[in-house]
């Protein structure tokens, strides 16, 4: 059985789009020089003539950090990671589907997430092909291999999100698959994870241990090890998860920033706490910027840019999950009476109104940069704030959980050291022993609005996860009254732990509805 011609045409168009994206972003950044995203050479931007110097090859890897990920970051990551998990809510129809466990095949943001992740894969595949076929003999092998490692890393990361969100999906890894004769089936979950780990191992053997300041934010070995630690944790391979996390911890490269809120300000992009983050350029054209502030800021006064819509709101359940004294609360959600001297600075700061900001009263603070008065690189639906995919605090929590493993509790000193380092910054007391529930709670509060909590619930005991989700309050406060809740509790089913394959994809390629097949690792 062959795929339809329309499917093949779509795949070929995707490849062309990826090449155009590379040229577009390189051209876009030619006039700037603040980061590796802005270091395109000034000579020919034609792909076939592009891979002639070390600088050109390095620049060819830069688009992997932003544009292909745009619609993944725009709404999908929060919809799945935080709305689906009960951290966040939203009333817009396709967002509400995540809150209500009613995501269907036509959901706009699920489809955009699928498309974006395969766009990342297509961009990585195109780059790997070009590195094999178009590079001049004048380019240093070390440079070629470092960029090749970046492509492997990005492809692995995209597949890690795909397999956890949709389960069995097609492994597209070679240009020969983008033609009219190729059948595209889904591959087994087990083989996808093997493929992911192979790609991360291919990356870690090629990328450098550290980068120059001009290349801060590009993938280094600790990013590969951190992501592998998380993959192994997901697979319950605690021995390897611990070993990979300890490679990052013992590298001496990373550490926690002193103040939690500082992690989420663009002045601290690519700080010592950042291990892998998506990189954005503000006010340079649609698809290159971070739009999160537009949807998270709950008042247009905060941004003074025509956005600040409060599209995503902290759920009542999430608000009630904080321990007393948690310093992260003020830096994550904005509640009546809270004062922020670093926002609306033209008026001396911002105090949250007594009536609240949204139907859940609170608004999100995290990833809200403010207006041009606070940060020059702010525009309508546009900031240059990085999107955290992996940071050091999460590695510490992975390390603690890997030591706990399948035990009911642990008093291991190394597990406690890693875990309590995160709590200390949050102003919370040390714990003398740890359970999985302790770690799950800490991950929820530390990593909120970073698209993590759903994937934590999905990898735990299914009966326990269903009980947690069924008891969450996903409703609203009635007219800003804390004592009057319009309750909304939703009971998911076991089938809700994977999203349906987007209908537009299944229509184009009915083979996606067939049973998954093993992947041929020898091909």
């Amino acid at each position: 059985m062959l795929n339809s011609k329309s499917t093949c045409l779509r795949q070929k168009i995707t490849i062309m789009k990826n090449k155009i994206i590379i040229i577009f972003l390189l051209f876009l950044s030619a006039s700037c020089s603040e980061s590796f995203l802005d270091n395109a050479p000034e000579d020919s931007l034609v792909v076939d003539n592009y891979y002639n110097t070390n600088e050109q090859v390095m620049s060819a890897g830069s688009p992997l950090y932003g544009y292909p990920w745009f619609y993944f970051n725009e709404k999908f990551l929060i919809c799945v990671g935080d709305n689906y998990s009960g951290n966040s809510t939203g009333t817009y129809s396709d967002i509400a589907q995540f809150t209500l466990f009613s995501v269907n095949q036509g959901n706009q943001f699920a489809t955009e997430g699928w498309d974006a992740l395969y766009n990342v894969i297509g961009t990585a595949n195109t780059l790997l092909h070009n590195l094999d076929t178009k590079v001049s003999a004048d380019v240093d092998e070390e440079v070629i291999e470092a960029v090749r490692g970046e492509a492997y890393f990005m492809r692995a990361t995209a597949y890690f999100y795909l397999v956890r969100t949709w389960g069995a999906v097609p492994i597209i890894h070679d240009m020969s698959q983008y033609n009219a004769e190729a059948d595209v089936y889904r591959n087994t979950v087990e083989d996808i994870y093997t493929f992911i780990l192979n790609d991360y191992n291919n990356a870690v053997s090629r990328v450098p241990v550290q980068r120059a300041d001009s290349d801060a934010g590009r993938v280094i070995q600790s990013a590969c090890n951190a992501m592998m630690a998380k993959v192994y944790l997901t697979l319950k391979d605690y021995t390897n998860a611990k070993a990979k996390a300890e490679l990052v911890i013992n590298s001496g490269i990373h550490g926690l920033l002193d103040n939690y809120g500082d992690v989420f300000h663009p002045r601290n992009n690519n700080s010592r706490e950042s291990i892998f983050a998506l990189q954005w350029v503000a006010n340079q054209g649609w698809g290159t910027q971070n739009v999160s502030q537009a949807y998270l800021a709950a008042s247009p006064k905060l941004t003074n840019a025509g956005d600040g819509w409060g599209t995503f709101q902290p759920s009542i359940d999430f608000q009630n999950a904080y321990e007393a004294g948690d310093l992260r609360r003020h830096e994550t959600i904005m509640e009546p009476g809270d004062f922020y001297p670093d926002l609306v600075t033209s008026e001396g700061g911002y105090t949250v109104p007594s009536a609240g900001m949204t139907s859940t009263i609170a608004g999100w603070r995290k990833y809200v940069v403010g207006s041009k008065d606070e940060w020059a690189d702010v525009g309508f639906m546009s900031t240059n704030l990085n999107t955290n995919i992996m940071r050091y605090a999460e590695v510490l929590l992975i390390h603690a959980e890997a030591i706990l493993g399948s035990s009911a509790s642990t008093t291991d000193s190394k597990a406690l050291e890693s875990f309590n380092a995160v709590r200390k910054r949050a102003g919370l007391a040390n714990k003398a022993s740890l359970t999985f529930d302790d770690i799950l709670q800490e991950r929820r509060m530390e990593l909120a609005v970073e698209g993590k909590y759903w994937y934590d619930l999905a990898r735990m005991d299914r009966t326990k996860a269903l009980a947690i989700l069924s008891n969450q309050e996903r409703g609203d406060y009635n007219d800003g009254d804390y004592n009057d809740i319009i309750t909304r509790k939703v009971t998911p089913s076991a089938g809700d732990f994977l999203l349906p394959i987007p209908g537009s994809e299944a229509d184009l390629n009915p083979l996606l509805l067939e049973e998954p097949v093993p992947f041929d690792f020898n091909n």
Side-chain angles (χ1 to χ4, degrees):
M1 177 184 285
L2 296 179
N3 286 331
S4 67
K5 295 294 183 182
S6 57
T7 301
C8 300
L9 179 60
R10 181 178 180 178
Q11 292 170 338
K12 290 178 179 178
I13 290 173
T14 299
I15 291 296
M16 289 191 295
K17 281 172 58 182
N18 290 328
K19 291 182 178 179
I20 292 169
I21 288 167
I22 291 173
I23 296 170
F24 167 71
L25 285 188
L26 291 170
F27 176 77
L28 181 71
S29 61
S31 62
C32 308
S33 59
E34 293 183 358
S35 76
F36 74 87
L37 292 177
D38 306 319
N39 287 334
E42 297 178 358
D43 53 358
S44 172
L45 293 175
V46 179
V47 169
D48 286 344
N49 299 321
Y50 186 70
Y51 296 81
N52 294 326
T53 67
N54 288 343
E55 291 76 15
Q56 287 178 334
V57 171
M58 286 292 289
S59 288
S62 298
L64 287 167
Y65 291 83
Y67 192 98
W69 293 95
F70 178 76
Y71 282 105
F72 165 88
N73 184 66
E74 200 234 6
K75 291 192 186 78
F76 169 81
L77 185 59
I78 295 177
C79 279
V80 175
D82 291 283
N83 278 51
Y84 216 34
S85 66
N87 280 351
S88 183
T89 66
T91 58
Y92 182 83
S93 59
D94 283 35
I95 294 175
Q97 286 182 17
F98 287 92
T99 301
L100 301 174
F101 292 109
S102 59
V103 178
N104 59 44
Q105 290 180 309
N107 185 280
Q108 176 187 348
F109 306 125
T111 301
E112 287 178 352
W114 171 286
D115 287 346
L117 290 167
Y118 272 107
N119 197 16
V120 173
I121 291 163
T123 305
N125 286 338
T126 302
L127 180 57
L128 288 168
H129 172 77
N130 289 342
L131 291 173
D132 286 339
T133 61
K134 301 184 184 302
V135 177
S136 165
D138 296 330
V139 179
D140 294 340
E141 188 66 21
E142 180 181 348
V143 172
I144 299 169
E145 289 303 292
V147 176
R148 196 188 307 276
E150 291 175 296
Y152 283 127
F153 177 92
M154 297 296 182
R155 190 170 70 178
T157 304
Y159 275 119
F160 189 37
Y161 278 104
L162 282 164
V163 72
R164 290 180 296 159
T165 307
W166 284 279
V169 297
I171 297 176
I172 309 296
H173 68 105
D174 187 83
M175 300 303 285
S176 65
Q177 293 173 277
Y178 297 94
N179 65 68
E181 301 302 319
D183 289 340
V184 179
Y185 289 92
R186 293 183 300 146
N187 295 107
T188 64
V189 168
E190 180 181 5
D191 284 355
I192 295 168
Y193 274 108
T194 299
F195 185 87
I196 289 167
L197 288 169
N198 287 347
D199 263 6
Y200 279 136
N201 277 306
N202 278 323
V204 76
S205 66
R206 289 171 166 83
V207 298
V209 174
Q210 287 188 281
R211 300 271 192 178
D213 289 346
S214 60
D215 286 330
R218 294 191 90 126
V219 172
I220 58 177
Q221 288 180 11
S222 61
C224 304
N225 288 322
M227 292 303 298
M228 280 193 280
K230 188 166 183 175
V231 173
Y232 283 124
L233 192 71
T234 302
L235 296 173
K236 296 181 170 54
D237 182 345
Y238 301 117
T239 299
N240 276 316
K242 175 177 177 289
K244 294 298 183 182
E246 288 179 348
L247 286 175
V248 180
I249 293 168
N250 295 333
S251 71
I253 297 172
H254 302 286
L256 299 176
L257 296 187
D258 293 338
N259 299 306
Y260 181 75
D262 288 345
V263 178
F264 309 101
H265 194 286
R267 67 173 172 268
N268 296 312
N269 281 348
N270 305 317
S271 71
R272 67 179 183 272
E273 184 157 344
S274 178
I275 295 178
F276 170 56
L278 304 181
Q279 313 280 319
W280 305 107
V281 181
N283 305 314
Q284 295 294 322
W286 186 256
T288 65
Q289 81 280 34
N290 190 344
V291 299
S292 296
Q293 170 167 273
Y295 302 120
L296 292 171
S299 170
K301 190 170 189 176
L302 296 172
T303 69
N304 197 28
D307 52 26
W309 300 307
T311 309
F312 296 102
Q313 305 171 14
S315 71
I316 293 173
D317 190 82
F318 179 78
Q319 294 173 56
N320 291 339
Y322 276 102
E323 292 179 60
D326 192 331
L327 299 177
R328 292 171 297 199
R329 183 175 194 132
H330 184 263
E331 301 304 321
T332 304
I333 59 176
M334 305 175 73
E335 300 174 281
D338 283 349
F339 177 66
Y340 295 91
D342 55 337
L343 295 174
V344 196
T345 53
S346 63
E347 298 180 14
Y350 181 74
T351 300
V352 179
S354 59
M357 307 179 77
T358 69
S359 62
T360 61
I361 297 181
W364 289 112
R365 168 67 179 99
K366 202 166 174 179
Y367 281 120
V368 175
V369 175
S371 72
K372 280 187 175 295
D373 290 334
E374 290 80 56
W375 189 253
D377 290 322
V378 169
F380 174 68
M381 299 186 72
S382 183
T383 76
N384 64 343
L385 178 59
N386 285 355
T387 299
N388 293 288
I389 301 298
M390 177 62 69
R391 54 188 179 86
Y392 189 65
E394 184 173 8
V395 172
L396 293 175
L397 295 175
I398 289 171
H399 183 235
E401 186 178 343
I403 294 172
L404 171 69
S406 57
S407 301
S409 63
T410 184
T411 57
D412 181 275
S413 61
K414 292 297 184 182
L416 291 170
E417 180 182 359
S418 290
F419 182 83
N420 286 325
V422 177
R423 285 179 64 80
K424 180 180 180 181
R425 181 173 66 177
L428 299 173
N430 286 350
K431 286 188 177 287
S433 68
L434 294 179
T435 66
F436 176 78
D437 288 347
D438 292 328
I439 295 170
L440 182 68
Q441 164 71 6
E442 205 63 37
R443 286 183 60 87
R444 185 184 191 187
M445 310 321 292
E446 175 70 25
L447 304 171
V449 204
E450 296 180 48
K452 310 282 187 177
Y453 191 46
W454 172 255
Y455 297 113
D456 287 337
L457 294 170
R459 66 183 171 85
M460 64 185 287
D461 175 79
R462 188 55 45 86
T463 301
K464 185 172 182 176
L466 285 168
I468 290 171
L469 291 163
S470 299
N471 285 300
Q472 290 177 338
E473 181 54 73
R474 298 182 174 216
D476 300 321
Y477 289 112
N478 191 13
D479 292 330
D481 184 352
Y482 275 113
N483 298 311
D484 187 3
I485 294 176
I486 304 172
T487 190
R488 183 185 299 116
K489 293 190 175 182
V490 188
T491 301
S493 67
D496 290 320
F497 281 83
L498 293 175
L499 296 188
I501 299 290
S504 56
E505 297 293 328
D507 289 344
L508 286 169
N509 181 16
L511 296 180
L512 294 176
L513 304 179
E514 301 284 338
E515 288 297 310
V517 300
F519 179 73
D520 183 3
F521 285 95
N522 296 315
N523 186 1

